[in-house]
Amino acid sequence: MEVRQLRYFASVAREGSFGRAAVRLNVAQPALSRQIKKLEEELGVELFVRHPHGITMTAAARNLAPRAEHILEEIDGFRHALEQPDAVEKRCLRIGVSPGTAELLAYPLSQLIQRRHPQLTCEFVSMLMPARADLLREGQMALSVMNRPRSLNGLRILPLLREPLCLIHRPDDTRLDPVSIDIADLAGIALILGGDRDSGVRSIIEEAFSSVGLRLTVAAVANTAGTCKALVREGVGPTIHVAAMARAELERGELCAVPIRGLYSVRVIALSEEAEMTPDLRLMIDTVRDCFADLVHSGRWLRAEMIGCPAPIEA
């Protein structure tokens, strides 16, 4: 078994596609497929089921993926340690996130950066999206993870993942179908909304109601996902958000999340159009993408799918 084969396998598992993995690895897809086939033959198991609409990981692949990632991280860390002097001055990049995203992302991303790039560290800047966008445009932040903003003025957007928006409610609220609902089913239901009208989620909700001629009934407005969840738990009303923001409450059975058909949020990495694409920034973008891919494929970032390929970034 070659390290290259493990690296190819891990990339296909993260991306969920031979084509996207080939682009990410900068190799020809036939060469990638041959190496995966050799790995399957050596292990004596099938790792991916190929079908007309893509691929599906087998049980063997799902078991191997986290182990392969761990091995590759150890190898990369070992190589990096050999290349670095004993004393390394860490370089810090500021990453903007919402308060809710910070709760889910800060720890795994910090750990991944520490393992892969010990010369780098990050400062998480947690604030609402308009303020983060302003800091990006002013050059005071390296990048921000955010829902796709209404205004792209001065920003460069790299697609990251797509998530269905869900009605998040208490288990004892039985007014709606517990499996899936339409936006029209929410007519007359007073909702808890985020306070930022320019945020991706709030604007998607308002546009969806407007598109079907419904009036949006508001029970309360809160500036953070944490406050929204607290109000839902207290019975003020349901809210609309991505399921990942309520993962802990969903796992404990305190809240329920019902997907709203046809309603999705796209999460992106945002950069300033004027940002210099330094080697450190390139590393951070790749690490953020890989961290999200691991969270999505391991089920820790609920009901999401990775989208887009990392397009070549000009220096």
Side-chain angles (χ1 to χ4, degrees):
M1 183 187 304
E2 300 178 10
V3 173
R4 176 179 58 171
Q5 292 171 339
L6 271 185
R7 200 174 297 280
Y8 285 7
F9 162 75
S11 185
V12 174
R14 282 196 303 266
E15 299 295 334
S17 161
F18 277 82
R20 289 196 294 269
V23 172
R24 187 166 184 79
L25 293 164
N26 195 27
V27 299
Q29 186 172 334
L32 173 64
S33 298
R34 283 195 299 271
Q35 291 301 322
I36 295 296
K37 187 65 176 176
K38 287 181 180 179
L39 181 60
E40 290 177 322
E41 291 173 353
E42 183 172 346
L43 295 176
V45 296
E46 186 178 31
L47 296 173
F48 300 102
V49 177
R50 287 81 165 171
H51 48 77
H53 301 293
I55 60 171
T56 302
M57 293 175 66
T58 64
R62 289 193 295 271
N63 287 332
L64 177 61
R67 292 173 172 82
E69 293 284 5
H70 177 72
I71 291 170
L72 292 171
E73 287 169 7
E74 290 295 321
I75 292 172
D76 291 342
F78 178 72
R79 286 174 174 167
H80 187 82
L82 293 178
E83 295 169 356
Q84 299 300 310
D86 292 338
V88 177
E89 181 180 353
K90 288 182 177 288
R91 299 185 295 279
C92 182
L93 278 74
R94 303 183 82 202
I95 298 178
V97 288
S98 69
T101 300
E103 293 179 9
L104 300 173
L105 183 65
Y107 176 72
L109 181 57
S110 296
Q111 292 293 100
L112 189 57
I113 292 170
Q114 189 174 35
R115 288 197 300 268
R116 285 189 179 180
H117 311 297
Q119 80 280 17
L120 297 180
T121 185
C122 61
E123 175 189 349
F124 290 98
V125 182
S126 181
M127 56 179 60
L128 297 180
M129 192 168 72
R132 282 181 279 141
D134 288 342
L135 289 180
L136 282 174
R137 296 184 182 104
E138 294 166 4
Q140 298 183 40
M141 185 182 291
L143 62 88
S144 178
V145 176
M146 59 175 66
N147 293 307
R148 185 178 178 89
R150 275 180 170 175
S151 173
L152 303 181
N153 184 35
L155 298 179
R156 181 175 184 183
I157 298 300
L158 305 177
L160 190 58
L161 56 88
R162 188 176 81 148
E163 307 166 82
L165 290 181
C166 299
L167 184 74
I168 297 175
H169 62 88
R170 287 171 31 141
D172 58 0
D173 187 346
T174 58
R175 290 175 289 178
L176 297 169
D177 188 322
V179 178
S180 182
I181 58 176
D182 291 311
I183 195 71
D185 296 328
L186 301 178
I189 295 180
L191 299 170
I192 299 165
L193 297 180
D196 177 16
R197 288 184 174 273
D198 291 325
S199 75
V201 171
R202 175 72 178 265
S203 63
I204 292 169
I205 295 169
E206 291 181 343
E207 290 168 6
F209 271 78
S210 176
S211 69
V212 295
L214 288 181
R215 179 183 176 186
L216 185 58
T217 306
V218 180
V221 175
N223 281 332
T224 67
T227 305
C228 285
K229 290 186 293 184
L231 292 172
V232 175
R233 288 196 302 269
E234 292 300 321
V236 176
T239 189
I240 297 177
H241 217 299
V242 297
M245 291 299 103
R247 188 187 78 183
E249 291 82 1
L250 295 173
E251 291 174 347
R252 293 194 297 264
E254 297 173 359
L255 297 176
C256 300
V258 182
I260 303 171
R261 282 185 285 267
L263 213 58
Y264 293 90
S265 171
V266 174
R267 200 172 297 268
V268 302
I269 297 174
L271 314 168
S272 168
E273 284 185 343
E274 305 299 324
E276 178 185 358
M277 191 53 60
T278 64
D280 286 350
L281 184 53
R282 290 174 185 268
L283 290 176
M284 193 63 76
I285 290 170
D286 284 344
T287 306
V288 169
R289 279 189 56 87
D290 288 347
C291 184
F292 267 100
D294 179 60
L295 291 171
V296 169
H297 293 140
S298 67
R300 287 176 289 166
W301 198 281
L302 301 179
R303 302 184 184 184
E305 60 176 348
M306 300 297 293
I307 59 173
C309 293
I313 300 174
E314 298 179 359

Short mmCIF file of all heavy atoms in Angstrom, two decimals, residues 70-111:
data_model
loop_
_atom_site.label_atom_id
_atom_site.label_comp_id
_atom_site.label_asym_id
_atom_site.label_seq_id
_atom_site.Cartn_x
_atom_site.Cartn_y
_atom_site.Cartn_z
N HIS A 70 -6.23 9.94 9.59
CA HIS A 70 -5.31 10.02 10.73
C HIS A 70 -3.88 9.70 10.29
O HIS A 70 -2.93 10.40 10.66
CB HIS A 70 -5.76 9.06 11.82
CG HIS A 70 -4.83 9.02 13.00
ND1 HIS A 70 -4.74 10.06 13.90
CD2 HIS A 70 -3.93 8.08 13.41
CE1 HIS A 70 -3.84 9.76 14.82
NE2 HIS A 70 -3.33 8.57 14.54
N ILE A 71 -3.72 8.65 9.48
CA ILE A 71 -2.39 8.27 9.01
C ILE A 71 -1.77 9.39 8.18
O ILE A 71 -0.59 9.74 8.35
CB ILE A 71 -2.47 6.96 8.18
CG1 ILE A 71 -2.83 5.79 9.09
CG2 ILE A 71 -1.15 6.69 7.46
CD1 ILE A 71 -3.17 4.52 8.34
N LEU A 72 -2.56 9.97 7.28
CA LEU A 72 -2.04 11.04 6.42
C LEU A 72 -1.67 12.28 7.23
O LEU A 72 -0.66 12.94 6.94
CB LEU A 72 -3.08 11.39 5.35
CG LEU A 72 -3.34 10.30 4.31
CD1 LEU A 72 -4.54 10.66 3.45
CD2 LEU A 72 -2.10 10.09 3.43
N GLU A 73 -2.47 12.59 8.24
CA GLU A 73 -2.14 13.74 9.08
C GLU A 73 -0.83 13.51 9.83
O GLU A 73 -0.01 14.42 9.97
CB GLU A 73 -3.28 14.00 10.07
CG GLU A 73 -4.52 14.60 9.41
CD GLU A 73 -5.72 14.62 10.34
OE1 GLU A 73 -5.54 14.28 11.53
OE2 GLU A 73 -6.82 14.96 9.88
N GLU A 74 -0.63 12.28 10.31
CA GLU A 74 0.61 11.96 11.01
C GLU A 74 1.81 12.06 10.05
O GLU A 74 2.87 12.59 10.42
CB GLU A 74 0.53 10.55 11.60
CG GLU A 74 -0.43 10.41 12.77
CD GLU A 74 0.03 11.22 13.97
OE1 GLU A 74 1.24 11.27 14.24
OE2 GLU A 74 -0.83 11.83 14.63
N ILE A 75 1.65 11.56 8.83
CA ILE A 75 2.74 11.63 7.85
C ILE A 75 3.06 13.08 7.51
O ILE A 75 4.23 13.48 7.48
CB ILE A 75 2.36 10.84 6.58
CG1 ILE A 75 2.32 9.34 6.89
CG2 ILE A 75 3.36 11.12 5.46
CD1 ILE A 75 1.78 8.50 5.76
N ASP A 76 2.00 13.88 7.26
CA ASP A 76 2.22 15.29 6.92
C ASP A 76 2.88 16.02 8.08
O ASP A 76 3.77 16.86 7.88
CB ASP A 76 0.89 15.95 6.57
CG ASP A 76 0.32 15.45 5.25
OD1 ASP A 76 1.10 14.87 4.46
OD2 ASP A 76 -0.88 15.63 5.01
N GLY A 77 2.43 15.72 9.30
CA GLY A 77 3.02 16.37 10.47
C GLY A 77 4.48 15.98 10.65
O GLY A 77 5.32 16.81 11.01
N PHE A 78 4.80 14.71 10.39
CA PHE A 78 6.18 14.23 10.51
C PHE A 78 7.07 14.93 9.50
O PHE A 78 8.17 15.41 9.83
CB PHE A 78 6.20 12.72 10.29
CG PHE A 78 7.58 12.11 10.35
CD1 PHE A 78 8.25 11.98 11.55
CD2 PHE A 78 8.20 11.67 9.19
CE1 PHE A 78 9.52 11.43 11.60
CE2 PHE A 78 9.46 11.11 9.22
CZ PHE A 78 10.12 10.99 10.44
N ARG A 79 6.60 15.01 8.25
CA ARG A 79 7.39 15.67 7.22
C ARG A 79 7.60 17.14 7.55
O ARG A 79 8.70 17.69 7.38
CB ARG A 79 6.69 15.54 5.87
CG ARG A 79 6.77 14.15 5.26
CD ARG A 79 5.94 14.06 4.00
NE ARG A 79 6.12 12.79 3.32
CZ ARG A 79 5.34 12.35 2.35
NH1 ARG A 79 4.32 13.09 1.94
NH2 ARG A 79 5.57 11.18 1.78
N HIS A 80 6.53 17.77 8.03
CA HIS A 80 6.64 19.20 8.34
C HIS A 80 7.62 19.43 9.48
O HIS A 80 8.39 20.39 9.47
CB HIS A 80 5.27 19.76 8.69
CG HIS A 80 5.27 21.25 8.84
ND1 HIS A 80 5.18 22.11 7.77
CD2 HIS A 80 5.38 22.03 9.95
CE1 HIS A 80 5.24 23.35 8.20
NE2 HIS A 80 5.35 23.33 9.52
N ALA A 81 7.58 18.55 10.48
CA ALA A 81 8.49 18.71 11.63
C ALA A 81 9.95 18.62 11.19
O ALA A 81 10.81 19.32 11.72
CB ALA A 81 8.18 17.65 12.68
N LEU A 82 10.22 17.75 10.21
CA LEU A 82 11.59 17.61 9.73
C LEU A 82 12.06 18.84 8.95
O LEU A 82 13.25 19.14 8.90
CB LEU A 82 11.71 16.37 8.83
CG LEU A 82 11.51 15.02 9.52
CD1 LEU A 82 11.59 13.90 8.50
CD2 LEU A 82 12.55 14.82 10.61
N GLU A 83 11.09 19.53 8.34
CA GLU A 83 11.44 20.68 7.51
C GLU A 83 11.59 21.96 8.32
O GLU A 83 12.14 22.95 7.84
CB GLU A 83 10.35 20.90 6.46
CG GLU A 83 10.24 19.77 5.45
CD GLU A 83 8.99 19.89 4.60
OE1 GLU A 83 8.19 20.82 4.87
OE2 GLU A 83 8.81 19.07 3.68
N GLN A 84 11.10 21.97 9.57
CA GLN A 84 11.06 23.20 10.35
C GLN A 84 12.22 23.26 11.35
O GLN A 84 12.65 22.24 11.88
CB GLN A 84 9.74 23.30 11.12
CG GLN A 84 8.52 23.33 10.23
CD GLN A 84 8.55 24.51 9.28
OE1 GLN A 84 8.77 25.64 9.70
NE2 GLN A 84 8.35 24.25 8.00
N PRO A 85 12.70 24.46 11.64
CA PRO A 85 13.68 24.61 12.72
C PRO A 85 13.02 24.35 14.06
O PRO A 85 11.80 24.28 14.17
CB PRO A 85 14.11 26.08 12.59
CG PRO A 85 12.96 26.75 11.91
CD PRO A 85 12.38 25.73 10.97
N ASP A 86 13.85 24.21 15.09
CA ASP A 86 13.32 23.88 16.42
C ASP A 86 12.35 24.94 16.93
O ASP A 86 11.34 24.63 17.52
CB ASP A 86 14.48 23.72 17.42
CG ASP A 86 15.30 22.48 17.10
OD1 ASP A 86 14.75 21.58 16.44
OD2 ASP A 86 16.46 22.43 17.50
N ALA A 87 12.67 26.19 16.71
CA ALA A 87 11.80 27.26 17.19
C ALA A 87 11.10 27.90 16.00
O ALA A 87 11.74 28.43 15.10
CB ALA A 87 12.62 28.31 17.93
N VAL A 88 9.78 27.81 15.98
CA VAL A 88 9.01 28.36 14.87
C VAL A 88 8.08 29.45 15.41
O VAL A 88 7.34 29.23 16.36
CB VAL A 88 8.16 27.25 14.19
CG1 VAL A 88 7.31 27.85 13.08
CG2 VAL A 88 9.06 26.15 13.65
N GLU A 89 8.17 30.60 14.80
CA GLU A 89 7.27 31.68 15.18
C GLU A 89 5.94 31.49 14.46
O GLU A 89 5.88 31.45 13.23
CB GLU A 89 7.87 33.04 14.79
CG GLU A 89 6.99 34.21 15.19
CD GLU A 89 7.60 35.54 14.80
OE1 GLU A 89 8.76 35.54 14.34
OE2 GLU A 89 6.91 36.56 14.95
N LYS A 90 4.89 31.31 15.23
CA LYS A 90 3.58 31.06 14.63
C LYS A 90 3.04 32.32 13.96
O LYS A 90 3.20 33.42 14.46
CB LYS A 90 2.60 30.58 15.70
CG LYS A 90 2.86 29.16 16.19
CD LYS A 90 1.82 28.74 17.20
CE LYS A 90 2.00 27.30 17.64
NZ LYS A 90 1.63 26.35 16.59
N ARG A 91 2.39 32.11 12.83
CA ARG A 91 1.75 33.22 12.12
C ARG A 91 0.24 33.06 12.27
O ARG A 91 -0.30 31.98 12.07
CB ARG A 91 2.16 33.20 10.64
CG ARG A 91 3.68 33.35 10.47
CD ARG A 91 4.06 33.45 9.01
NE ARG A 91 3.79 32.24 8.25
CZ ARG A 91 4.58 31.17 8.25
NH1 ARG A 91 5.68 31.16 8.99
NH2 ARG A 91 4.28 30.11 7.52
N CYS A 92 -0.42 34.15 12.62
CA CYS A 92 -1.84 34.11 12.96
C CYS A 92 -2.68 34.70 11.84
O CYS A 92 -2.38 35.77 11.31
CB CYS A 92 -2.09 34.88 14.26
SG CYS A 92 -3.82 34.85 14.79
N LEU A 93 -3.74 33.98 11.46
CA LEU A 93 -4.72 34.48 10.51
C LEU A 93 -6.07 34.61 11.21
O LEU A 93 -6.46 33.72 11.98
CB LEU A 93 -4.86 33.53 9.31
CG LEU A 93 -3.81 33.65 8.20
CD1 LEU A 93 -2.49 33.07 8.65
CD2 LEU A 93 -4.29 32.95 6.93
N ARG A 94 -6.78 35.69 10.94
CA ARG A 94 -8.09 35.92 11.55
C ARG A 94 -9.17 35.31 10.67
O ARG A 94 -9.24 35.55 9.46
CB ARG A 94 -8.35 37.42 11.73
CG ARG A 94 -7.29 38.13 12.55
CD ARG A 94 -7.66 39.59 12.73
NE ARG A 94 -8.62 39.76 13.82
CZ ARG A 94 -9.42 40.82 13.94
NH1 ARG A 94 -9.42 41.76 13.00
NH2 ARG A 94 -10.24 40.93 14.96
N ILE A 95 -10.03 34.49 11.29
CA ILE A 95 -11.11 33.81 10.58
C ILE A 95 -12.44 34.27 11.18
O ILE A 95 -12.66 34.16 12.39
CB ILE A 95 -10.98 32.29 10.70
CG1 ILE A 95 -9.67 31.82 10.07
CG2 ILE A 95 -12.17 31.58 10.07
CD1 ILE A 95 -9.44 30.33 10.19
N GLY A 96 -13.32 34.77 10.33
CA GLY A 96 -14.62 35.24 10.80
C GLY A 96 -15.65 34.13 10.75
O GLY A 96 -15.74 33.38 9.77
N VAL A 97 -16.44 34.01 11.81
CA VAL A 97 -17.52 33.03 11.88
C VAL A 97 -18.66 33.63 12.69
O VAL A 97 -18.47 34.55 13.48
CB VAL A 97 -17.07 31.71 12.56
CG1 VAL A 97 -16.14 30.92 11.68
CG2 VAL A 97 -16.40 31.99 13.91
N SER A 98 -19.86 33.10 12.49
CA SER A 98 -20.98 33.50 13.33
C SER A 98 -20.81 32.84 14.70
O SER A 98 -20.09 31.84 14.83
CB SER A 98 -22.30 33.05 12.71
OG SER A 98 -22.40 31.63 12.75
N PRO A 99 -21.46 33.35 15.74
CA PRO A 99 -21.36 32.71 17.05
C PRO A 99 -21.78 31.24 17.02
O PRO A 99 -21.14 30.39 17.66
CB PRO A 99 -22.30 33.55 17.92
CG PRO A 99 -22.29 34.91 17.28
CD PRO A 99 -22.21 34.64 15.81
N GLY A 100 -22.84 30.92 16.28
CA GLY A 100 -23.29 29.53 16.21
C GLY A 100 -22.29 28.63 15.52
O GLY A 100 -22.02 27.51 15.97
N THR A 101 -21.71 29.11 14.41
CA THR A 101 -20.71 28.32 13.69
C THR A 101 -19.46 28.13 14.54
O THR A 101 -18.83 27.07 14.51
CB THR A 101 -20.36 29.00 12.36
OG1 THR A 101 -21.53 29.12 11.56
CG2 THR A 101 -19.31 28.21 11.60
N ALA A 102 -19.09 29.15 15.30
CA ALA A 102 -17.90 29.06 16.14
C ALA A 102 -18.00 27.89 17.12
O ALA A 102 -17.01 27.20 17.38
CB ALA A 102 -17.69 30.37 16.90
N GLU A 103 -19.20 27.66 17.67
CA GLU A 103 -19.37 26.57 18.63
C GLU A 103 -19.05 25.21 18.01
O GLU A 103 -18.54 24.32 18.68
CB GLU A 103 -20.81 26.56 19.15
CG GLU A 103 -21.18 27.77 20.00
CD GLU A 103 -22.62 27.71 20.46
OE1 GLU A 103 -23.27 26.65 20.26
OE2 GLU A 103 -23.12 28.71 21.00
N LEU A 104 -19.36 25.05 16.72
CA LEU A 104 -19.18 23.76 16.05
C LEU A 104 -17.82 23.63 15.37
O LEU A 104 -17.29 22.53 15.24
CB LEU A 104 -20.28 23.56 15.01
CG LEU A 104 -21.72 23.55 15.51
CD1 LEU A 104 -22.68 23.52 14.34
CD2 LEU A 104 -21.96 22.36 16.43
N LEU A 105 -17.25 24.75 14.93
CA LEU A 105 -16.07 24.70 14.07
C LEU A 105 -14.76 24.98 14.79
O LEU A 105 -13.72 24.45 14.39
CB LEU A 105 -16.25 25.71 12.93
CG LEU A 105 -15.15 25.76 11.86
CD1 LEU A 105 -15.10 24.45 11.08
CD2 LEU A 105 -15.39 26.93 10.91
N ALA A 106 -14.78 25.80 15.82
CA ALA A 106 -13.53 26.29 16.41
C ALA A 106 -12.62 25.15 16.86
O ALA A 106 -11.42 25.14 16.54
CB ALA A 106 -13.83 27.23 17.57
N TYR A 107 -13.15 24.19 17.60
CA TYR A 107 -12.29 23.13 18.13
C TYR A 107 -11.73 22.22 17.03
O TYR A 107 -10.51 22.04 16.95
CB TYR A 107 -13.03 22.30 19.17
CG TYR A 107 -12.21 21.14 19.68
CD1 TYR A 107 -11.12 21.35 20.52
CD2 TYR A 107 -12.50 19.83 19.29
CE1 TYR A 107 -10.35 20.29 20.97
CE2 TYR A 107 -11.74 18.77 19.73
CZ TYR A 107 -10.66 19.00 20.57
OH TYR A 107 -9.90 17.94 21.00
N PRO A 108 -12.58 21.62 16.16
CA PRO A 108 -11.99 20.72 15.15
C PRO A 108 -11.06 21.43 14.18
O PRO A 108 -10.05 20.86 13.77
CB PRO A 108 -13.21 20.14 14.43
CG PRO A 108 -14.34 21.05 14.73
CD PRO A 108 -14.06 21.61 16.08
N LEU A 109 -11.36 22.69 13.83
CA LEU A 109 -10.48 23.40 12.91
C LEU A 109 -9.16 23.74 13.58
O LEU A 109 -8.09 23.60 12.97
CB LEU A 109 -11.16 24.67 12.40
CG LEU A 109 -10.34 25.51 11.41
CD1 LEU A 109 -9.93 24.68 10.19
CD2 LEU A 109 -11.14 26.75 10.96
N SER A 110 -9.20 24.16 14.84
CA SER A 110 -7.96 24.45 15.56
C SER A 110 -7.07 23.22 15.66
O SER A 110 -5.85 23.29 15.47
CB SER A 110 -8.27 24.98 16.96
OG SER A 110 -8.96 26.20 16.91
N GLN A 111 -7.69 22.07 15.95
CA GLN A 111 -6.93 20.82 16.06
C GLN A 111 -6.30 20.44 14.73
O GLN A 111 -5.15 20.01 14.67
CB GLN A 111 -7.85 19.69 16.54
CG GLN A 111 -8.34 19.85 17.96
CD GLN A 111 -7.21 19.72 18.96
OE1 GLN A 111 -6.69 20.72 19.46
NE2 GLN A 111 -6.81 18.51 19.25
#
